[in-house]
Amino acid sequence: AQRVTQPEKLLSVFKGAPVELKCNYSYSGSPELFWYVQYSRQRLQLLLRHISRESIKGFTADLNKGETSFHLKKPFAQEEDSAMYYCALSLTGGGNKLTFGTGTQLKVEL
Amino acid sequence: DVKVTQSSRYLVKRTGEKVFLECVQDMDHENMFWYRQDPGLGLRLIYFSYDVKMKEKGDIPEGYSVSREKKERFSLILESASTNQTSMYLCASSSPIRPARGGYTFGSGTRLTVV
């Protein structure tokens, strides 16, 4: 069965420091990977997806099939980046069903 | 512009009660999902539906059932609520068509407490 692992429950960085939220997955096929974010008192929302190869709010994520990873990165953390981040995987032919990781709480300190 | 609406933000129910959680979306999405969100466990899929009157079990369906009589509405039912079902319940919808597939729109959640 597919699995998404986010090894860090909490990541604390200082404002202006680089951020890397780790995500590893286990799946033998060709997955689609996503990052979702939940800001305090807000709904969970899509941040970015690997097929779009986009940068959203300064965040990027590259799918590394060799290392089965999809780490989320930002060169300079901002206070407003503080949130819960979830990595998610959708299987090819899986009918759009997402498997989520356990989440990483990012705290950006001043 | 609320697109996925969950009828209740907070609910308190007694053990053994039958509980209904309602979710409505206005985006004409085929796919709808129910997850529960627990600290340290992330989001776990309970049930999902690809079409009206269609349902499939997710990873943790025990103790739950669902109903989808209309495309826009997906209901989660706790047949006999238990304390271990105390959780945040999230409804989501999505289109199955690329590039939107995988892009869920979530509701604001229902925090259910079973006492």
Side-chain angles (χ1 to χ4, degrees):
Chain A
Q2 68 278 7
R3 179 182 292 181
V4 177
T5 302
Q6 294 180 253
E8 302 141 328
K9 287 188 176 180
L10 173 65
L11 181 64
S12 185
V13 301
F14 286 106
K15 180 181 176 180
V19 174
E20 183 178 52
L21 299 170
K22 296 186 186 300
C23 173
N24 289 89
Y25 66 91
S26 60
Y27 178 58
S28 57
S30 296
E32 295 182 25
L33 275 297
F34 306 83
W35 277 99
Y36 280 78
V37 61
Q38 189 169 30
Y39 301 102
S40 179
R41 302 181 187 278
Q42 294 188 26
R43 301 172 185 230
L44 193 60
Q45 59 187 284
L46 177 66
L47 180 62
L48 55 80
R49 66 188 86 196
H50 90 269
I51 59 173
S52 300
R53 296 185 175 276
E54 57 201 345
S55 174
I56 303 294
K57 300 184 178 182
F59 285 99
T60 59
D62 292 319
L63 178 61
N64 185 324
K65 291 187 177 181
E67 296 183 357
T68 59
S69 68
F70 188 57
H71 303 327
L72 183 67
K73 299 178 183 179
K74 184 170 183 177
F76 307 105
Q78 302 299 314
E79 189 179 2
E80 56 265 29
D81 296 329
S82 295
M84 178 66 86
Y85 292 81
Y86 291 97
C87 183
L89 176 154
S90 176
L91 306 180
T92 304
N96 195 210
K97 183 177 67 172
L98 288 179
T99 296
F100 286 85
T102 52
T104 298
Q105 180 73 46
L106 174 64
K107 182 177 180 182
V108 180
E109 300 184 71
L110 300 177
Chain B
D1 60 340
V2 174
K3 297 178 178 179
V4 178
T5 303
Q6 294 185 232
S7 55
S8 302
R9 187 73 178 98
Y10 298 96
L11 275 179
V12 180
K13 297 292 182 180
R14 294 192 180 277
T15 301
E17 277 193 76
K18 191 169 186 176
V19 181
F20 294 85
L21 303 183
E22 306 289 343
C23 176
V24 177
Q25 52 97 1
D26 63 0
M27 296 168 287
D28 200 36
H29 282 166
E30 289 81 1
N31 302 338
M32 296 189 74
F33 307 85
W34 275 106
Y35 286 84
R36 61 178 284 177
Q37 182 183 30
D38 299 289
L41 297 178
L43 277 74
R44 292 179 291 166
L45 181 63
I46 304 172
Y47 266 97
F48 58 105
S49 170
Y50 294 146
D51 203 350
V52 175
K53 297 190 184 295
M54 176 274 172
K55 60 184 179 183
E56 286 198 29
K57 293 179 179 180
D59 300 318
I60 53 164
E62 297 78 18
Y64 304 93
S65 63
V66 290
S67 172
R68 194 166 182 199
E69 296 296 318
K70 295 184 178 181
K71 188 176 185 180
E72 67 271 19
R73 185 180 296 270
F74 192 36
S75 303
L76 179 69
I77 304 157
L78 284 66
E79 298 292 344
S80 177
S82 63
T83 55
N84 62 14
Q85 293 178 310
T86 291
S87 185
M88 173 68 85
Y89 289 87
L90 299 180
C91 175
S93 72
S94 74
S95 168
I97 302 170
R98 285 172 178 260
R101 54 175 283 154
Y104 285 13
T105 299
F106 279 91
S108 56
T110 295
R111 184 166 294 283
L112 173 67
T113 301
V114 182
V115 298

